[in-house]
Amino acid sequence: MRALADTWTMTKRSLRHTTRSLDTIITVVVTPIALLLLFVYVFGGALGEQTGSIEYVDFIAPGVIIMTVISGIAYAALRLSTDLQKGIIGRFRTMPVAPSSVLSGQALSSTLSSLFSCFLVVVVAFLVGFRPAADPAAWLWFCGLLVLFTLATTWLGMFFGLLARTAEGAGAFSYILLLLIFISPAFVPTDSMSPWLRGFAENQPMTPIIETMRSLLTEGTPGPDIWVALAWAAGILVVSYTLALGMYRRREPVLAAQ
């Protein structure tokens, strides 16, 4: 119970930092919404012809939601690295708080803020014409997969935040994930890509996750990739969580010295 209470205290601390930072609000809220509007109103006319009977806003909504999550965890990694560089986490270790609450609080606050940003993106998508065919069961599947993916990538951000030598480098890993989103069926079908690029796009982790989310929203069914998507998300979560805890334990002597 003490560990849970300490985790919630650390979570509230991180959430206060998030809500008081204009840069953070722009990164995790305004930018994804701006990208959604950009793709719908600027690129939608040209790219929309490739999506067949699916409206372009319905086609790209899952990709923009995933991009929103990636933007949020990049900030989480930056914030964790900043706390490390300033010695704040080292000072936490001198206080009577559960050691696990330091990372868990950061991860939980990042997850909550990312999910809230995703909610805002969905609301704006509805305002510009998003009309999903999902029933309540499909929405539950969609939300479950989104939460699992957010947790997985958030702990990946925790690992890179601990690994990075500088605060600026902590969020740089997100560019790799953003590249995977663009080399996927997030904004155009993979059929429109060159053969060598299509082979990579169809066999990387973002593709089954986005395809499953799109199938849930546009058809109301999980589609054939649901178990592959869950396996990728769960695998990333287990590996990231293990690596983050291992890195944190290795840095304990350094943090104690601070």
Side-chain angles (χ1 to χ4, degrees):
M1 294 301 298
R2 176 185 170 184
L4 291 176
D6 290 344
T7 297
W8 181 237
T9 299
M10 293 296 178
T11 300
K12 290 189 292 184
R13 169 188 174 269
S14 296
L15 288 175
R16 282 195 293 268
H17 278 281
T18 300
T19 55
R20 293 173 182 174
S21 172
L22 179 60
D23 293 342
T24 305
I25 295 174
I26 293 174
T27 300
V28 303
V29 177
V30 178
T31 300
I33 292 175
L35 286 173
L36 172 67
L37 299 177
L38 175 69
F39 275 98
V40 170
Y41 290 112
V42 178
F43 302 129
L47 301 179
E49 299 176 356
Q50 304 181 32
T51 61
S53 60
I54 303 177
E55 292 293 330
Y56 192 62
V57 63
D58 297 339
F59 185 87
I60 67 169
V64 176
I65 290 172
I66 292 296
M67 186 176 291
T68 302
V69 174
I70 302 304
S71 299
I73 64 168
Y75 170 73
L78 174 64
R79 185 176 60 224
L80 176 60
S81 181
T82 300
D83 284 349
L84 285 168
Q85 302 300 325
K86 291 183 177 180
I88 295 176
I89 301 232
R91 288 195 288 273
F92 283 151
R93 291 189 52 79
T94 66
M95 301 170 63
V97 298
S100 61
S101 66
V102 177
L103 285 186
S104 298
Q106 293 268 15
L108 182 57
S109 68
S110 175
T111 299
L112 292 175
S113 61
S114 293
L115 292 176
F116 179 71
S117 299
C118 292
F119 171 75
L120 293 181
V121 168
V122 171
V123 170
V124 174
F126 270 104
L127 294 177
V128 299
F130 179 50
R131 297 297 180 267
D135 57 14
W139 274 109
L140 284 175
W141 272 102
F142 176 85
C143 292
L145 180 57
L146 177 61
V147 170
L148 181 60
F149 176 80
T150 305
L151 282 171
T153 50
T154 295
W155 278 103
L156 186 63
M158 295 295 100
F159 169 68
F160 279 97
L162 292 166
L163 182 66
R165 296 295 181 182
T166 63
E168 291 76 12
F173 82 100
S174 64
Y175 293 115
I176 299 174
L177 299 181
L178 289 174
L179 181 62
L180 291 179
I181 294 174
F182 282 103
I183 309 177
S184 76
F187 302 110
V188 293
T190 55
D191 295 341
S192 63
M193 300 179 185
S194 58
W196 65 272
L197 190 59
R198 186 190 314 143
F200 173 80
E202 293 176 348
N203 294 280
Q204 55 112 335
M206 295 296 177
T207 294
I209 294 172
I210 292 173
E211 291 280 24
T212 299
M213 287 183 168
R214 180 179 294 126
S215 179
L216 287 167
L217 294 180
T218 60
E219 300 177 12
T221 59
D225 297 325
I226 177 63
W227 300 116
V228 179
L230 290 174
W232 269 115
I236 294 171
L237 174 58
V238 171
V239 173
S240 301
Y241 181 78
T242 303
L243 290 175
L245 288 185
M247 179 62 66
Y248 185 70
R249 292 192 184 101
R250 283 196 293 273
R251 296 199 63 167
E252 281 183 345
V254 177
L255 297 177
Q258 292 177 343

